[in-house]
Amino acid sequence: FPSHDTGLSNKADSNMRALSGGMKRRVMVAQALVHKPPVIVLDEPTAGVDVELRQSLWTFVQELNHAGHTIVLTTHYLEEAEMLCSRIAMLKAGQIIALEDKATLLGRDAGRELWIKTEPAGTLPEPYQAWKVREEEGGVVLKLPSIQALEPLLHTLRQQGLILRDMRLRETDLEHVFVSMMHKEMQ
């Protein structure tokens, strides 16, 4: 059984109603673990908790999983699902639209996105128009076919006299896959 302390010892004599929301959440998790179940269902365990408690619960969930417990976690926090889960199901209107291991799910839309802000604003050389995914935050988001494609793009911007004001490179994450899948389901 995991050695992680739920931090409830000093609250042993407290009335449940007097506990903070985070401490109540800890009590509920501890109650679910008393009989050491092989499968643990956690429904939004970090909703409404502070950052410190969220980190503590994440560590606790990982320890439970490493100790051999199967964890079924429901969450709206995609960062949490990406960090904690090895297999992910996505629901839309009560229907499963994806049920895959995380690597496969992330591989659906593998690649990198590059957000660039140029001057004049939104200007993108013709050969790179096909890479445009969307406009965002006053710039343009491009889907890079590879990291090696970045240098020729920057070279072309310089050649055409465009000023690069800002740029960010982002790996595909679960949030991006989720939004993409929800969009596809709407079509």
Side-chain angles (χ1 to χ4, degrees):
F1 200 65
S3 61
H4 189 79
D5 180 16
T6 56
L8 294 170
S9 301
N10 62 345
K11 301 289 184 182
D13 296 324
S14 300
N15 185 317
M16 181 79 161
R17 288 185 213 123
L19 297 177
S20 69
M23 290 306 274
K24 286 178 184 175
R25 182 118 16 224
R26 286 184 195 206
V27 169
M28 289 187 275
V29 170
Q31 286 173 333
L33 300 176
V34 168
H35 65 288
K36 299 181 182 175
V39 178
I40 301 164
V41 178
L42 298 174
D43 183 19
E44 304 261 359
T46 62
V49 300
D50 62 41
V51 173
E52 185 178 345
L53 179 54
R54 179 176 296 126
Q55 295 290 328
S56 176
L57 284 169
W58 284 358
T59 300
F60 190 49
V61 166
Q62 288 171 323
E63 287 179 5
L64 288 169
N65 188 246
H66 290 138
H69 297 273
T70 298
I71 312 291
V72 177
L73 172 73
T74 64
T75 184
H76 284 90
Y77 301 122
L78 296 173
E79 173 192 6
E80 181 170 73
E82 188 170 348
M83 182 179 159
L84 297 175
C85 301
S86 58
R87 190 162 166 82
I88 297 172
M90 292 185 181
L91 301 174
K92 181 170 183 177
Q95 299 294 315
I96 295 175
I97 62 169
L99 176 57
E100 302 176 55
D101 66 69
K102 179 172 53 182
T104 302
L105 199 55
L106 289 171
R108 281 180 173 217
D109 207 12
R112 292 176 178 87
E113 284 188 342
L114 176 69
W115 173 83
I116 60 171
K117 190 171 189 177
T118 59
E119 192 174 299
T123 307
L124 192 61
E126 186 55 45
Y128 298 100
Q129 290 289 333
W131 294 4
K132 183 176 175 179
V133 177
R134 66 186 172 277
E135 292 184 19
E136 181 180 289
E137 299 176 37
V140 178
V141 177
L142 306 174
K143 176 88 171 206
L144 288 180
S146 70
I147 192 66
Q148 291 77 21
L150 181 58
E151 179 51 39
L153 168 65
L154 296 175
H155 179 74
T156 302
L157 290 175
R158 283 189 301 271
Q159 269 188 329
Q160 294 192 7
L162 299 171
I163 299 169
L164 183 63
R165 290 290 176 201
D166 199 359
M167 74 178 209
R168 282 181 244 142
L169 189 62
R170 298 184 286 221
E171 295 287 333
T172 298
D173 62 6
L174 193 57
E175 182 173 341
H176 180 82
V177 171
F178 178 80
V179 169
S180 175
M181 290 185 70
M182 290 300 145
H183 181 70
K184 285 177 190 172
E185 288 292 314
M186 289 171 30
Q187 295 176 348

